[in-house]
Amino acid sequence: EARRRLNGPPSADMPCQHVAGVMSFPLRPERHMPMHSPSATVHTLVAAMNRGDLDAALACYATDAVFVAAPGQTVRTPAAIREAIGSLLALKPILATIEETIVEAGDTALYHSAWTMRGHDPSGVNVSMAGRSSDVLRRHADGHWEIVVDNPWGTAVLDPVD
């Protein structure tokens, strides 16, 4: 299990900006960052979202991926994921990953993170979200990782325990 607080200096393979101890990925990084690890794949997704690049964001997902757009709303096709991610990009988001943990078992990884997002809706109203994600990634024979299950809401999808 790997656990890291993302508030140290940028690494050579993942340029980033640090604001108040939070890692935020650049708005204009290289178009396709290497997805050689689960963390790098998620960071590539975050960078694509921050620069509004829908195609680069979607390239992080497996063709059979599922995305939890909201608690109780899971989308299962590439077209539906494109629509859901496109809706998020309409907010002109700035995403930041605060902390992450990764548990790998062979070619499968469980990725958890704490994240924040701020942006604004089409009418200009500020939007702020935060969550703790639970994602599953898969490694291919060529070594690249892709997202199979993207659940940005983590356990918030569960009903409260009485």
Side-chain angles (χ1 to χ4, degrees):
E1 176 180 334
R3 181 182 182 96
R4 32 184 210 166
R5 180 105 176 128
L6 299 177
N7 62 357
S11 68
D13 67 336
M14 183 55 58
C16 61
Q17 302 166 338
H18 295 269
V19 179
V22 174
M23 181 179 277
S24 176
F25 297 92
L27 297 177
R28 289 180 175 75
E30 297 173 30
R31 182 162 175 82
H32 298 287
M33 288 187 224
M35 296 190 299
H36 54 67
S37 70
S39 181
T41 300
V42 175
H43 296 175
T44 299
L45 172 64
V46 169
M49 297 282 291
N50 282 346
R51 68 179 185 273
D53 189 338
L54 179 59
D55 290 331
L58 295 173
C60 297
Y61 289 90
T63 56
D64 60 341
V66 297
F67 176 69
V68 181
Q73 183 185 357
T74 301
V75 295
R76 300 180 178 278
T77 66
I81 293 172
R82 173 178 282 280
E83 183 178 336
I85 299 292
S87 294
L88 288 173
L89 290 180
L91 300 174
K92 307 229 183 287
I94 298 298
L95 291 163
T97 300
I98 302 164
E99 186 173 7
E100 65 184 16
T101 65
I102 301 164
V103 179
E104 291 184 40
D107 293 332
T108 304
L110 178 61
Y111 174 93
H112 291 110
S113 71
W115 58 270
T116 61
M117 184 185 90
R118 61 184 179 3
H120 54 274
D121 71 13
S123 68
V125 174
N126 289 333
V127 175
S128 227
M129 295 182 207
R132 295 182 177 275
S133 68
S134 297
D135 301 330
V136 177
L137 293 93
R138 171 175 55 216
R139 180 175 35 215
H140 286 269
D142 68 1
H144 88 274
W145 289 83
E146 62 187 4
I147 300 165
V148 180
V149 177
D150 186 352
N151 174 12
W153 311 107
T155 60
V157 300
L158 300 172
D159 290 330
V161 177
D162 294 331

